Amino acid sequence: DQQVKQNSPSLSVQEGRISILNCDYTNSMFDYFLWYKKYPAEGPTFLISISSIKDKNEDGRFTVFLNKSAKHLSLHIVPSQPGDSAVYFCAQRDDKIIFGKGTRLHILP
Amino acid sequence: EADIYQTPRYLVIGTGKKITLECSQTMGHDKMYWYQQDPGMELHLIHYSYGVNSTEKGDLSSESTVSRIRTEHFPLTLESARPSHTSQYLCATLPPGSYGYTFGSGTRLTVV
């Protein structure tokens, strides 16, 4: 049974618009939630994190929102750029990291 | 930031062969991990190590084995490769005080 669920396998967004990537989780005991970005044939790169005691964290164009009551987090990218086209993984961590299946984001010109 | 090196990047090998995937890091981090990812699927933890002579199996059962004789080196071995082992194998470290792992570029293994 998946602990971290990314229900949208893919998402297409116009360049310059906002990209919203969603993630649901089942286990509330983890301390941190993470987002990773992955290009084909490369390893994932860490993008942004949020502590379980916060509800928002912002870093440049990237903002992560955490809704603990709904066990839901989302990643907002604004404005979306062509280089943002990649697979995005949501993850939870305590001592180990548990990943979702990923969402492939396509930024359209 | 950790420098993690995985070799080879791509490997095509015949069934029954023994293979070793290399993973090395230059920052002296104790915690290292191996993940396996099939296309369109989540990354599954298959092995991890918290230091020299420490290795544990991860959440996904794997026929591979690992060793940690030196801090900087965490190789993964398949004694007899099978087509079901075809996947991408990703090595990572957890820098002290960091929220997330730093991954290597991965090895894409194809067993024919």
Side-chain angles (χ1 to χ4, degrees):
Chain A
D1 191 28
Q2 280 184 271
Q3 292 191 41
V4 179
K5 298 181 183 180
Q6 294 179 258
N7 292 319
S8 298
S10 66
L11 174 68
S12 294
V13 174
Q14 207 77 35
E15 182 179 355
R17 300 287 186 100
I18 183 171
S19 295
I20 300 177
L21 299 153
N22 293 303
C23 178
D24 297 302
Y25 61 92
T26 57
N27 189 337
S28 300
M29 300 302 292
F30 286 77
D31 292 332
Y32 289 97
F33 299 87
L34 315 170
W35 284 95
Y36 277 81
K37 176 181 179 180
K38 186 179 185 296
Y39 293 116
E42 293 185 15
T45 54
F46 172 70
L47 198 56
I48 192 170
S49 66
I50 187 167
S51 166
S52 59
I53 63 173
K54 295 189 175 183
D55 53 21
K56 178 182 175 181
N57 187 28
E58 191 172 352
D59 184 2
R61 296 186 298 114
F62 303 92
T63 304
V64 57
F65 296 92
L66 177 61
N67 182 333
K68 288 182 283 293
S69 61
K71 297 186 179 180
H72 178 85
L73 70 158
S74 60
L75 174 68
H76 293 213
I77 306 172
V78 56
S80 299
Q81 298 175 353
D84 296 332
S85 294
V87 177
Y88 290 80
F89 290 94
C90 171
Q92 285 183 307
R93 73 151 285 191
D94 48 18
D95 192 44
K96 296 188 282 293
I97 297 181
I98 297 174
F99 290 88
K101 287 187 177 183
T103 297
R104 183 176 299 278
L105 176 64
H106 299 272
I107 304 302
L108 306 171
Chain B
E1 191 164 331
D3 290 327
I4 305 177
Y5 305 98
Q6 287 189 247
T7 56
R9 288 290 303 274
Y10 302 92
L11 179 63
V12 181
I13 199 164
T15 297
K17 299 290 186 182
K18 177 180 178 179
I19 57 171
T20 296
L21 309 184
E22 302 289 348
C23 176
S24 297
Q25 50 107 352
T26 61
M27 297 302 289
H29 296 154
D30 287 325
K31 295 184 177 180
M32 297 188 72
Y33 306 82
W34 275 103
Y35 278 81
Q36 181 178 343
Q37 188 202 12
D38 294 329
M41 302 297 289
E42 59 263 61
L43 285 73
H44 287 290
L45 179 66
I46 53 174
H47 298 284
Y48 61 98
S49 168
Y50 289 162
V52 172
N53 294 324
S54 155
T55 61
E56 301 287 343
K57 289 190 178 295
D59 303 322
L60 180 69
S61 176
S62 174
E63 294 169 345
S64 59
T65 59
V66 293
S67 62
R68 192 86 183 275
I69 299 172
R70 301 197 316 267
T71 297
E72 61 271 21
H73 198 212
F74 191 37
L76 181 147
T77 299
L78 279 165
E79 291 292 333
S80 180
R82 294 207 302 268
S84 61
H85 297 140
T86 294
S87 189
Q88 185 178 35
Y89 293 84
L90 294 156
C91 181
T93 73
L94 182 60
S98 173
Y99 295 124
Y101 298 158
T102 300
F103 282 89
S105 298
T107 294
R108 184 165 295 280
L109 173 66
T110 303
V111 184
V112 297

